[in-house]
């Protein structure tokens, strides 16, 4: 990149390390089996399907996790959909609605597990985030026009009402 006179051109640089695009899961010391799940950047008024692993070695009561999932206390904007047991880890599936701009925190609690989700939510006209691996957009909603919710659109994007 060249500079001419006093003018400076700036570039945004992103680390090309693929590991940085993974959902980060951080085990907390207290309470037992408590985790912070860092989701990175999301977009406001978008619904996301999120899938991430937690190693069985990080859990103090692995067998109880699956039996307690039905007792999980979801929030209005975050719901535990499923947990699969793999040989070395549990694979969690969550649905999340990015309902607020700025810092989003949601918590799901079951008798033997606490999952705390943290994301930075970009507002309207604030750009398009590169979502982390394991995060997929399900659909969007338009709070100012509830009849334009993605559930009410046909394949062409036209309103069915």
């Amino acid at each position: 990149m060249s500079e001419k006179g006093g003018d400076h051109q700036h570039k945004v640089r992103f680390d090309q390390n693929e590991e940085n695009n993974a959902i980060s899961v951080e085990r907390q010391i207290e309470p037992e089996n408590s985790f912070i799940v860092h989701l990175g950047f999301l977009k406001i008024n978008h619904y996301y399907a999120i899938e991430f692993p937690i190693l069985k070695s990080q859990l103090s009561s692995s067998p109880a996790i699956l039996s307690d999932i039905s007792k999980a206390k979801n929030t209005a904007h975050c719901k535990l959909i499923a947990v699969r047991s793999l040989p070395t880890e549990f694979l969690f599936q969550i649905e999340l609605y990015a309902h607020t701009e700025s810092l989003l925190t949601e918590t799901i609690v079951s008798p033997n597990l606490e999952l705390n989700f943290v994301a930075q939510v970009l507002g309207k006209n604030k750009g398009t985030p590169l979502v982390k691996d394991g995060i997929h957009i399900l659909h969007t909603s338009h709070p100012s026009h509830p009849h334009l919710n993605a559930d009410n659109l046909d394949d062409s994007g036209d309103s069915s009402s």
Side-chain angles (χ1 to χ4, degrees):
M1 198 156 149
S2 65
E3 294 182 25
K4 294 181 181 178
D7 296 333
H8 296 279
Q9 294 179 344
H10 300 280
K11 286 187 179 178
V12 176
R13 299 184 191 276
F14 295 96
D15 189 348
Q16 297 299 314
N17 185 347
E18 288 184 24
E19 289 180 30
N20 286 341
N21 203 37
I23 294 172
S24 169
V25 178
E26 180 182 334
R27 185 173 187 266
Q28 300 297 287
I29 295 171
E30 291 292 327
E32 190 174 57
N33 286 336
S34 176
F35 296 87
I36 296 178
V37 183
H38 299 276
L39 302 174
F41 288 92
L42 303 176
K43 185 78 173 177
I44 194 157
N45 297 327
H46 283 62
Y47 289 84
Y48 293 93
I50 301 166
E51 189 172 82
F52 62 93
I54 294 180
L55 296 174
K56 289 181 177 179
S57 62
Q58 292 182 293
L59 296 162
S60 62
S61 56
S62 292
I65 298 298
L66 288 177
S67 63
D68 290 340
I69 294 307
S70 64
K71 300 173 189 163
K73 293 181 180 152
N74 296 314
T75 69
H77 306 290
C78 188
K79 181 167 67 168
L80 179 59
I81 302 300
V83 179
R84 288 190 330 203
S85 180
L86 301 175
T88 61
E89 63 192 20
F90 287 109
L91 192 60
F92 290 83
Q93 294 175 332
I94 307 292
E95 283 185 7
L96 176 80
Y97 174 54
H99 62 94
T100 184
E101 191 173 337
S102 191
L103 184 65
L104 172 73
T105 58
E106 295 287 337
T107 300
I108 295 176
V109 178
S110 74
N112 289 303
L113 181 68
E114 181 177 303
L115 299 172
N116 300 288
F117 299 94
V118 179
Q120 186 67 39
V121 179
L122 300 178
K124 185 178 178 182
N125 301 321
K126 300 285 185 184
T128 302
L130 172 66
V131 295
K132 292 185 174 279
D133 296 338
I135 300 177
H136 304 281
I137 297 172
L138 293 174
H139 59 87
T140 63
S141 72
H142 304 280
S144 60
H145 302 295
H147 66 280
L148 292 180
N149 189 310
D151 292 337
N152 298 330
L153 299 178
D154 63 23
D155 292 335
S156 67
D158 294 330
S159 178
S160 58
S161 51

